[in-house]
Amino acid sequence: MYFYAILFLFLNFPLKVLGKDEPLSIEQVSAQISTFMKSGPTGTISTSVTSSSMLSGCALACSFLNFALPGEISYPNSTTYVYEESLYWSTQQAITSPTCRFTPTCTSDVSLAVLTVQVTQCQSAVKSGGHAAFTGASNINGGLTIDLLKLNQITVSPDKTQTFVGPGNTWFDVYSQLEGEGLSVIGGRVSGIGVGGLTLGGGISFFSGRYGWACDNVNTYEVVFADGTIHEVSYASYPDLYFALRGGGNNFGIVTRFDLVTFPQGDLWAGSQTFIYDNVTAAALNEAFYYIDENSMVDPYAQAILAYAYVQSIDTYIIASDLQYGKPVANPPILQNFTSVPGAVANTLRITNLTGLTQEFNASNPSGFRQTYWTLTTQNSATLIADIVEIFMQEVSTIKDADAVLPSISFQPIGTDMISHFSKNGENALGISAADGPLNLINIVVSWSNEADDERIMAAARNLTDRANATAYAQGLGNRFIYQNYAALEQDVFEGYGEENKEKLRVVSERYDPKGVWQKLQPGYFKVNP
Ligand SMILES: Cc1cc2nc3c(=O)[nH]c(=O)nc-3n(C[C@H](O)[C@H](O)[C@H](O)COP(=O)(O)OP(=O)(O)OC[C@H]3O[C@@H](n4cnc5c(N)ncnc54)[C@H](O)[C@@H]3O)c2cc1C
Ligand SMILES: *[C@@H]1O[C@H](CO)[C@@H](O)[C@H](O)[C@H]1NC(C)=O
Ligand SMILES: *[C@@H]1O[C@H](CO)[C@@H](O)[C@H](O)[C@H]1NC(C)=O
Ligand SMILES: *[C@@H]1O[C@H](CO)[C@@H](O)[C@H](O)[C@H]1NC(C)=O
Ligand SMILES: *[C@@H]1O[C@H](CO)[C@@H](O)[C@H](O)[C@H]1NC(C)=O
Ligand SMILES: *[C@@H]1O[C@H](CO)[C@@H](O)[C@H](O)[C@H]1NC(C)=O
Ligand SMILES: *[C@@H]1O[C@H](CO)[C@@H](O)[C@H](O)[C@H]1NC(C)=O
Ligand SMILES: *[C@@H]1O[C@H](CO)[C@@H](O)[C@H](O)[C@H]1NC(C)=O
């Protein structure tokens, strides 16, 4: 429990400028806040009803941080607040209103906020790129939102084997800077996604066949712990916490720097082919998917995403095959089962670079809509894909009249080449081993515009997920994995990592966060020890 505020309320400390560089203890922060409450920022006893002595909870946290770190707090309707709120991808997150937004400029500022929310008992949220879709994932009504926007360093090590990346960056920032040097890292496939959330939840890249997921390619994390202290977390320094950060989401501290494995990377061959749905084309593409998942280890430079979507304006289903090859080689043999399917009505396959490609995908995933993400994982089967697409069409038929609705379901291989990298530096927390693979990772996404449709759209997405999963299990093709970065809030992500890893994560949480700060005071998103 949090006795500090009460304990230190009765002590009188002189109010001084807080050190910007050295983190304080919770006792010191309590003392500062209690003095701030008594004297107000000017040091004079105030009798105004709006004086700091009247404040509590988040109003006090915001007011104190505004005093201690001038310029880093913004309030509703200010230019900064409105701008930062506009950076969320989904409408549900963008319309969420915290009491204030805090935009730290260095790691010790983050540390001060972590202690301040404990002393004041103010609930908080942390935002990196703001692409998590559901309400409260990285923003909080009435709370304090820590926006990592200004922790935006991108520094390549002198030997060019790692890049030190702040969580304020999007992948566009990272790729466009590294591209000029002929380098890259493992990150998102859409330019606007943030470095923080994607990496902490797993992180699938165009190059994951060669290197694994983003969480398998972080050498060191700089982390602010719940007690405000700052640590360099690597496999060597904290193996248990390092394991937990590789898929554990926002349960283990605020990461203020990711040291990313860096490798030479030039242009690639990539883009999408789009087809109007018919069952013969679908069967050929599902078959191509099956074989690339089975054969991924033959050429780990290749990646594919197979997606089905309903296009409301023409009342038609389309199929897209998004293909990527990590070298500037057109139509390599590994992808020819896709490219030989006739009848594409659009084709953007070309030699491009990562920035160009991720900008193309950013443009096809616009912000400014209501959004829901759901996921399940199955074993690899072309006919199971067809069965699930049939369920998709049935559920979509119940929502196809909703304003601006855009439902899609995508299938991605988790091939044995990818899985082989999950055991780098110990292992990641996802609970997938070579014996499970190859797998098919399914992502259900619906975007729409009218709040009045929320309930039936959520019901259809939930039904689709449940029915697809039941169908897979009934055919002996089920898998427990639930990918955090694609999951709806009500899905049990950590159960999907398996009992053993779920328990390991709970133990690491209790060890590094005995007071449950990340569980209770940062309530949004998926919790390992709720
Ligand atoms: C259009 C689109 C495309 C996508 N493409 C991909 C893809 O190619 N590959 C893939 O794997 N996933 C993909 N995703 C899923 C994506 O990885 C998740 O939505 C992810 O959570 C986004 O990260 P973010 O930093 O932008 O989100 P945020 O909403 O900012 O953060 C998500 C969660 O992580 C926490 N968090 C973020 N940074 C930190 C930090 N530094 N310390 C502690 N906690 C932190 C937040 O508190 C929040 O709970 C995509 C999503 C969208 C919407
Ligand atoms: C912000 O502005 C809107 C519209 O001008 C107003 O309705 C709202 O009350 C304002 N909010 C605050 C907290 O000032
Ligand atoms: C396509 O649908 C038709 C008519 O329903 C059916 O006869 C045919 O077998 C289907 N073909 C495939 C490949 O599923
Ligand atoms: C392409 O599909 C055929 C079956 O139609 C399969 O035998 C072959 O292995 C596939 N090729 C690749 C590279 O996956
Ligand atoms: C990457 O492609 C974009 C156009 O899509 C181009 O503007 C940019 O210069 C390219 N970068 C490099 C390093 O070639
Ligand atoms: C991605 O697209 C959104 C609009 O949907 C835009 O606001 C944002 O700037 C884009 N991000 C990048 C990195 O280009
Ligand atoms: C699928 O069903 C299994 C077995 O009932 C269950 O354990 C799992 O959580 C379900 N997965 C999803 C994504 O609902
Ligand atoms: C969801 O499934 C249940 C039972 O399977 C059904 O009663 C309900 O109508 C379905 N809802 C939607 C929106 O499809």
Side-chain angles (χ1 to χ4, degrees):
M1 287 313 294
Y2 305 90
F3 296 122
Y4 300 101
I6 299 158
L7 196 64
F8 285 91
L9 206 57
F10 302 102
L11 301 176
N12 203 357
F13 283 80
L15 203 54
K16 61 175 165 80
V17 175
L18 293 148
K20 194 86 180 132
D21 298 319
E22 82 278 22
L24 302 172
S25 68
I26 196 161
E27 290 79 10
Q28 288 170 310
V29 173
S30 275
Q32 296 282 353
I33 291 176
S34 100
T35 306
F36 172 74
M37 287 177 74
K38 283 185 198 155
S39 51
T42 59
T44 57
I45 306 296
S46 171
T47 51
S48 149
V49 285
T50 58
S51 87
S52 40
S53 64
M54 301 295 288
L55 298 175
S56 64
C58 293
L60 175 58
C62 294
S63 172
F64 172 69
L65 287 171
N66 196 33
F67 159 71
L69 300 168
E72 297 184 13
I73 287 287
S74 66
Y75 288 103
N77 289 354
S78 69
T79 311
T80 301
Y81 185 102
V82 170
Y83 170 68
E84 289 184 1
E85 291 274 304
S86 80
L87 297 178
Y88 289 96
W89 182 65
S90 75
T91 297
Q92 293 100 320
Q93 287 243 81
I95 62 174
T96 295
S97 291
T99 297
C100 68
R101 301 186 64 86
F102 172 57
T103 313
T105 58
C106 63
T107 303
S108 60
D109 294 355
V110 175
S111 166
L112 181 62
V114 165
L115 298 176
T116 299
V117 298
Q118 291 174 65
V119 171
T120 59
Q121 287 293 289
C122 165
Q123 289 193 323
S124 64
V126 171
K127 170 181 165 284
S128 170
H131 267 58
F134 53 79
T135 304
S138 47
N139 205 2
I140 181 164
N141 274 318
L144 179 141
T145 297
I146 301 174
D147 195 323
L148 302 173
L149 192 62
K150 290 192 174 160
L151 301 184
N152 61 354
Q153 70 156 316
I154 303 172
T155 314
V156 180
S157 68
D159 68 359
K160 298 189 190 298
T161 61
Q162 49 181 344
T163 308
F164 311 118
V165 180
N169 291 295
T170 64
W171 293 105
F172 174 83
D173 303 323
V174 179
Y175 298 153
S176 55
Q177 178 159 334
L178 292 181
E179 210 152 58
E181 300 190 54
L183 300 172
S184 201
V185 294
I186 297 298
R189 295 167 297 189
V190 170
S191 59
I193 307 168
V195 166
L198 179 129
T199 306
L200 289 168
I204 310 173
S205 134
F206 293 128
F207 309 132
S208 285
R210 282 145 68 202
Y211 297 100
W213 287 11
C215 67
D216 305 316
N217 290 279
V218 184
N219 292 325
T220 306
Y221 302 80
E222 182 187 74
V223 185
V224 178
F225 283 14
D227 67 2
T229 57
I230 299 163
H231 300 263
E232 301 273 323
V233 178
S234 65
Y235 183 46
S237 66
Y238 295 94
D240 55 351
L241 183 55
Y242 182 80
F243 162 85
L245 287 166
R246 292 174 65 182
N250 73 8
N251 287 283
F252 300 98
I254 299 179
V255 179
T256 46
R257 198 190 72 235
F258 295 85
D259 297 352
L260 301 180
V261 171
T262 302
F263 50 87
Q265 177 65 47
D267 285 354
L268 55 160
W269 184 74
S272 304
Q273 288 194 302
T274 308
F275 303 83
I276 302 296
Y277 177 88
D278 68 67
N279 66 355
V280 176
T281 303
L285 290 169
N286 295 345
E287 191 87 349
F289 180 94
Y290 171 79
Y291 279 107
I292 201 173
D293 200 3
E294 291 297 308
N295 295 334
S296 61
M297 76 297 267
V298 170
D299 190 344
Y301 280 81
Q303 297 270 282
I305 305 172
L306 180 62
Y308 290 75
Y310 172 71
V311 183
Q312 191 179 42
S313 58
I314 50 173
D315 189 21
T316 298
Y317 288 92
I318 59 165
I319 317 175
S321 57
D322 298 329
L323 307 177
Q324 304 89 34
Y325 194 68
K327 297 177 195 171
V329 172
N331 201 16
I334 184 84
L335 291 169
Q336 287 173 10
N337 280 340
F338 285 101
T339 56
S340 62
V341 175
V345 293
N347 183 345
T348 65
L349 287 163
R350 81 281 189 197
I351 307 247
T352 181
N353 60 38
L354 193 55
T355 316
L357 185 62
T358 57
Q359 289 288 65
E360 174 188 331
F361 286 120
N362 191 60
S364 56
N365 290 276
S367 58
F369 291 92
R370 305 183 80 76
Q371 301 281 355
T372 189
Y373 260 54
W374 295 74
T375 189
L376 70 150
T377 307
T378 71
Q379 293 179 43
N380 188 24
S381 158
T383 55
L384 177 61
I385 294 175
D387 293 342
I388 290 174
V389 168
E390 193 178 327
I391 298 168
F392 169 71
M393 291 177 171
Q394 290 167 7
E395 292 296 337
V396 168
S397 70
T398 70
I399 57 170
K400 65 202 287 190
D401 59 320
D403 287 350
V405 77
L406 177 51
S408 68
I409 184 166
S410 69
F411 303 89
Q412 296 179 57
I414 303 181
T416 48
D417 52 351
M418 256 184 218
I419 297 172
S420 72
H421 300 285
F422 289 5
S423 53
K424 215 182 327 186
N425 294 330
E427 59 177 354
N428 67 33
L430 306 176
I432 295 173
S433 67
D436 300 314
L439 297 172
N440 180 355
L441 175 63
I442 302 177
N443 183 202
I444 293 153
V445 180
V446 187
S447 68
W448 71 102
S449 60
N450 190 346
E451 186 180 358
D453 292 317
D454 283 10
E455 213 169 297
R456 65 180 174 137
I457 285 172
M458 292 302 277
R462 179 183 300 114
N463 270 17
L464 168 54
T465 306
D466 289 348
R467 292 176 61 194
N469 190 47
T471 301
Y473 272 87
Q475 297 181 16
L477 296 171
N479 182 273
R480 70 185 181 197
F481 181 62
I482 294 174
Y483 183 31
Q484 176 163 221
N485 286 354
Y486 291 168
L489 180 58
E490 67 190 71
Q491 295 194 272
D492 196 344
V493 166
F494 298 113
E495 184 74 27
Y497 290 10
E499 276 311 315
E500 193 187 328
N501 283 7
K502 185 181 175 183
E503 175 61 10
K504 274 169 85 174
L505 292 174
R506 197 190 57 73
V507 168
V508 175
S509 162
E510 291 199 332
R511 173 151 185 218
Y512 291 92
D513 181 18
K515 291 192 288 175
V517 172
W518 310 122
Q519 304 303 306
K520 307 252 163 15
L521 280 177
Q522 184 192 257
Y525 222 53
F526 304 97
K527 296 292 142 183
V528 296
N529 195 17

